[in-house]
Amino acid sequence: MLPDPTVNRQSIDILITEGRMRASQLFFPTLREVPAEAEMISHRLLLRGGFIRKVAAGIYDYLPLGYKVIKKIEKVVREEMDAQGAQEILMPAIVPAELYQETGRWNLDVLFRLKDRNDRDYSIGFTHEEVVTDIIRRDLRSYRQLPLNLYQIQSKGRDEARPRGGTVRGREFIMLDAYSFDRTWDDLDRAYDKMYAAFSRTFARCGLAPLVVEAESGAIGGKENQEYMVVADSGEDIILVCEKCGYAANAEKAEIGERPVKKSDDELQPLELVDTPNARTIEQVTSFLKRSPKKLVKTLIYKAGEQVVAALVRGDRDLNEAKLASMLGVKSVEMADPETILRVTKADVGFAGPVGLDKSVKIVADREVQGMMNFVVGGNKTDAHYINANIGRDFEVSEFGDLRVASKGDPCARCENTLTTVRGMEVGHIFKLGTLYSEKMGAGFLDDDGQEKPFIMGCYGMGVSRMLAAIPEVNSDQDGMVWPISVAPFEVVVILLNPDDEAQCNAATRLYEELQQQGVDVLLDERDERPGVKFKDTDLMGAPIQVVAGRLAGEGKVEVRLRSTKSKEEISIDDATAHVLELRRKLYQESEDKAQAVAVNPQLH
RNA sequence: CGGGGCGUAGCGCAGCUUGGUUAGCGCGCCAGUUUUGGGAACUGGAGGCCGCGAGUUCGAAUCUCGCCGCCCCGACCA
């Protein structure tokens, strides 16, 4: 349909029958001032741009623009999941307690619990391993039906201790969760690689370049897992990165390399028990004794089953419980209760030390402690510490190893370099679960040898609503958001500067119509607002391509701009549609190029 | 759950210390006039359970107690 050659302000209503894309009718309540509740860049921009509104802590409305972005992210996700042969399903948001009880997760405190009228227990689904495993155990019998990958995109509920950052950590959030079922571990590796490709491509197409890091899988385990971390100063997680060899791991997981121990040639000072009244914490002891925490050794009493263990780390370090458990060859460790501590140290909590500890206690230490001399330790006596303690002379350590939480400057475990830290926002997490759930839930298939075997599973999660925040968190400037074209709320905004100017009206409506007919997702801003308002709102919204119908329209020209580079070009109205289509094609091509570059998992090949 | 802060118009805030007319200001919103290439000007309007509940008082946005909500730091985080 060609526009009427004499369009004016009054006739726009009639001309544009599909009114959904007109800014005057679009519900996008922009704010000039930043709501006091928002701290993070993305949170501020999403609120200011009218993408989201808060309903309660961690619970948000997605307004038209925000929901359009969500739908576009979901579209990319579906394309990439389907391309890997995964099949979309939809599981219930309300999950009966029995399913979570089967695997012992019913008592997790993140569950939103509810009861029906008959007092039966349910919770809002927070992740769906049990539900999907239940599907499989009912209807999947034979190895011939494998491999299988089922996914869903759904709102989840988790009663987070502290929601933050808008949709970064919500209590209700939209997530992709996929679950793979395989016959063998090799098959699981293949399924995992496919998900790696799907996830990496999805993030790339959404304008994100997350680091892939090794991560802890939590108390319930799983064989191998990787997190996708968007590097951002506002990220909640600390990631250790080796710039030389590319090793990257979450702080909870990061291994610390072993280096030759350098003992200083200081003289051994005599061990001395000194009074430290009420000095229990490192901070208190440090200020009382006027010694740096680096001259202190913390003694942490743990229980690994029946065995009581004293773990030693330097005063300014944190013990990594997973590493301790792994050194001791147990699944998990827990801090000893006050009675146990009193029994083995003969002192109140806060004064444990390795010197004169009960003989039944195994003493292990972080490698860093091996090089320390004349340090301070707890006195195993209430209100007392030893100064000038030394290994070998005053006590023995049965094993040294990597026990502390890695921090900046620690040696890399994979090369001779040292580790640096960056902050990251987790947008995806992929796991090899193995038979963790299938065994607990009795989900098995009949293999070709006639034996019943548990499914070998993987699970793959991606935070869709978190990406709504993560993308602008790393793609914005002073004027607002800068969306990659594949997930932008609109691909193109046509700005009609003066609706009373006939030439401008003609140009804007013509281009709007032409672009729509070409399948472009385009918004026409024909609002009765001053030009500045429209420019500001358009920049804030962050659509990648802007077409300005202004003064130049009288000369048969419009201005075509790119949001990302702020570039401006004057183009004749006759060529404008073709020009915009070409820009659009290039932008999509760029994101596809990035997707192709990242699709192979470097950690596994 | 621990520490800190905040709740007054849609948004941002003042007023509270030292109780006392009709609770203010800016932005936004509505009407009109003039404007129209980077968040216009003027005129006139609408809009408040001052978070909720008890108390003190002749009188409470303001003082006291309790509760609720929200934000930040920490703990937590499949």
Side-chain angles (χ1 to χ4, degrees):
Chain A
M1 180 179 77
L2 281 175
D4 185 314
T6 58
V7 181
N8 60 32
R9 186 172 179 167
Q10 283 68 39
S11 63
I12 291 176
D13 271 355
I14 303 159
L15 182 85
I16 300 165
T17 49
E18 297 298 318
R20 299 190 315 270
M21 308 301 182
R22 284 178 304 155
S24 65
Q25 298 308 115
L26 181 68
F27 181 55
F28 68 122
T30 58
L31 301 171
R32 292 192 185 192
E33 281 172 292
V34 186
E37 71 190 50
E39 195 102 325
M40 235 184 246
I41 292 169
S42 58
H43 190 194
R44 290 169 167 225
L45 291 174
L46 290 168
L47 286 169
R48 281 194 56 210
F51 284 59
I52 60 171
R53 287 291 184 261
K54 188 179 70 187
V55 178
I59 298 175
Y60 287 83
D61 294 311
Y62 302 102
L63 302 188
L65 294 182
Y67 194 45
K68 278 195 81 176
V69 173
I70 292 281
K71 284 185 286 190
K72 288 191 177 186
I73 295 170
E74 290 179 354
K75 178 169 179 278
V76 173
V77 168
R78 289 193 169 95
E79 286 172 5
E80 295 299 338
M81 295 303 291
D82 292 347
Q84 298 298 338
Q87 300 174 54
E88 185 169 9
I89 61 173
L90 184 59
M91 289 182 270
I94 297 176
V95 179
E98 297 82 70
L99 282 176
Y100 287 134
Q101 282 162 349
E102 281 192 58
T103 55
R105 296 165 105 190
W106 174 250
N107 53 9
L108 292 184
D109 55 13
V110 294
L111 266 64
F112 272 116
R113 293 180 181 75
L114 45 142
K115 283 185 186 290
D116 69 12
R117 60 179 68 203
N118 296 315
D119 213 38
R120 278 187 289 258
D121 288 313
Y122 299 83
S123 89
I124 299 174
F126 72 106
T127 176
H128 285 233
E129 282 79 2
E130 288 85 350
V131 185
V132 76
T133 304
D134 180 56
I135 294 174
I136 296 309
R137 75 176 161 189
R138 263 186 276 133
D139 288 309
L140 211 154
R141 289 278 120 75
S142 160
Y143 76 95
R144 292 168 193 263
Q145 295 165 285
L146 298 175
L148 183 69
N149 186 319
L150 300 176
Y151 76 94
Q152 64 171 352
I153 299 173
Q154 186 199 36
S155 287
K156 300 271 192 277
R158 288 184 197 172
D159 192 3
E160 292 283 351
R162 182 143 95 88
R164 70 185 94 178
T167 62
V168 167
R169 178 174 292 273
R171 293 192 296 165
E172 183 190 273
F173 58 96
I174 301 168
M175 176 169 145
L176 156 89
D177 45 326
Y179 306 89
S180 65
F181 299 87
D182 283 289
R183 181 186 178 192
T184 67
W185 290 90
D186 284 350
D187 289 348
L188 170 60
D189 288 345
R190 277 186 281 278
Y192 186 90
D193 280 1
K194 286 186 167 195
M195 287 298 101
Y196 182 94
F199 272 48
S200 299
R201 285 185 48 89
T202 299
F203 291 128
R205 290 179 61 190
C206 292
L208 295 172
L211 274 180
V212 182
V213 311
E214 294 180 24
E216 271 304 324
S217 52
I220 310 184
K223 184 185 156 203
E224 190 176 332
N225 71 97
Q226 289 169 297
E227 284 176 332
Y228 287 82
M229 292 286 199
V230 171
V231 175
D233 291 340
S234 54
E236 305 173 88
D237 299 284
I238 306 284
I239 308 161
L240 286 114
V241 181
C242 175
E243 280 160 3
K244 186 161 187 200
C245 69
Y247 175 72
N250 198 311
E252 289 92 63
K253 170 80 177 180
E255 297 165 29
I256 299 170
E258 188 169 359
R259 297 289 186 267
V261 177
K262 283 181 286 192
K263 276 252 182 191
S264 70
D265 41 16
D266 290 0
E267 299 257 319
L268 290 190
Q269 304 290 322
L271 183 71
E272 193 183 332
L273 189 65
V274 296
D275 285 341
T276 52
N278 272 320
R280 289 159 199 275
T281 66
I282 291 294
E283 213 169 62
Q284 289 161 348
V285 175
T286 300
S287 62
F288 188 86
L289 293 175
K290 307 270 187 296
R291 302 210 178 190
S292 153
K294 293 181 181 177
K295 297 294 289 177
L296 268 60
V297 168
K298 267 195 269 203
T299 304
L300 299 152
I301 309 294
Y302 273 86
K303 287 175 88 167
E306 288 309 299
Q307 171 75 54
V308 179
V309 179
L312 274 45
V313 295
R314 204 172 79 183
D316 56 333
R317 305 297 194 179
D318 291 315
L319 180 92
N320 184 321
E321 293 187 3
K323 288 180 179 177
L324 177 62
S326 153
M327 176 192 271
L328 298 171
V330 295
K331 252 188 169 168
S332 67
V333 294
E334 56 178 329
M335 291 204 79
D337 49 279
E339 295 76 52
T340 305
I341 290 174
L342 184 62
R343 179 168 60 79
V344 300
T345 68
K346 315 275 190 293
D348 289 350
V349 175
F351 300 97
V355 181
L357 207 53
D358 191 275
K359 291 279 180 288
S360 67
V361 179
K362 179 174 183 169
I363 300 175
V364 298
D366 185 60
R367 280 199 286 262
E368 195 173 41
V369 174
Q370 202 165 5
M372 294 176 68
M373 293 178 69
N374 299 326
F375 45 84
V376 178
V377 293
N380 289 330
K381 180 184 171 199
T382 302
D383 292 337
H385 280 76
Y386 281 110
I387 58 172
N388 300 325
N390 285 287
I391 300 165
R393 183 190 69 184
D394 306 317
F395 65 97
E396 296 294 338
V397 171
S398 64
E399 190 176 353
F400 291 97
D402 176 13
L403 284 184
R404 69 180 190 272
V405 176
S407 57
K408 188 177 179 176
D410 279 335
C412 177
R414 304 290 158 84
C415 73
E416 69 284 1
N417 203 10
T418 54
L419 300 170
T420 56
T421 54
V422 293
R423 298 191 74 93
M425 186 187 293
E426 180 186 352
V427 289
H429 202 159
I430 57 180
F431 288 86
K432 292 181 183 175
L433 290 172
T435 56
L436 216 55
Y437 290 85
S438 49
E439 279 184 358
K440 279 184 186 165
M441 295 184 65
F445 61 96
L446 214 53
D447 208 346
D448 62 355
D449 56 7
Q451 298 296 306
E452 168 102 2
K453 295 177 184 171
F455 292 103
I456 299 176
M457 294 174 55
C459 74
Y460 317 91
M462 187 188 297
V464 172
S465 49
R466 181 175 284 184
M467 286 165 73
L468 174 68
I471 296 166
E473 188 66 27
V474 294
N475 295 291
S476 71
D477 59 21
Q478 293 114 322
D479 296 316
M481 296 172 260
V482 184
W483 292 99
I485 193 161
S486 42
V487 294
F490 289 95
E491 294 170 330
V492 180
V493 178
V494 176
I495 306 173
L496 169 54
L497 279 193
N498 184 355
D500 289 326
D501 182 293
E502 200 173 283
Q504 294 184 24
C505 270
N506 275 322
T509 51
R510 174 181 165 190
L511 294 177
Y512 172 70
E513 289 292 332
E514 288 179 2
L515 289 167
Q516 261 208 336
Q517 280 172 26
Q518 294 295 320
V520 176
D521 187 16
V522 55
L523 175 72
L524 174 65
D525 192 351
E526 36 49 297
R527 288 177 300 166
D528 189 12
E529 290 285 355
R530 296 176 65 80
V533 173
K534 297 186 197 184
F535 286 133
K536 290 288 184 191
D537 279 349
T538 307
D539 286 349
L540 179 59
M541 178 194 297
I545 302 171
Q546 307 173 351
V547 179
V548 182
R551 278 187 190 133
L552 295 167
E555 307 162 28
K557 288 181 184 170
V558 292
E559 194 173 274
V560 176
R561 303 175 168 193
L562 281 181
R563 175 68 182 82
S564 58
T565 60
K566 300 267 178 185
S567 66
K568 303 176 184 179
E569 279 183 282
E570 292 177 10
I571 307 285
S572 86
I573 296 170
D574 292 337
D575 298 336
T577 295
H579 183 77
V580 168
L581 287 171
E582 177 57 17
L583 280 177
R584 173 177 177 256
R585 191 195 63 75
K586 274 189 191 156
L587 291 173
Y588 275 110
Q589 185 61 49
E590 281 169 22
S591 83
E592 176 57 29
D593 290 347
K594 285 180 192 160
Q596 290 197 359
V598 296
V600 176
N601 189 345
Q603 313 263 325
L604 302 177
H605 295 272

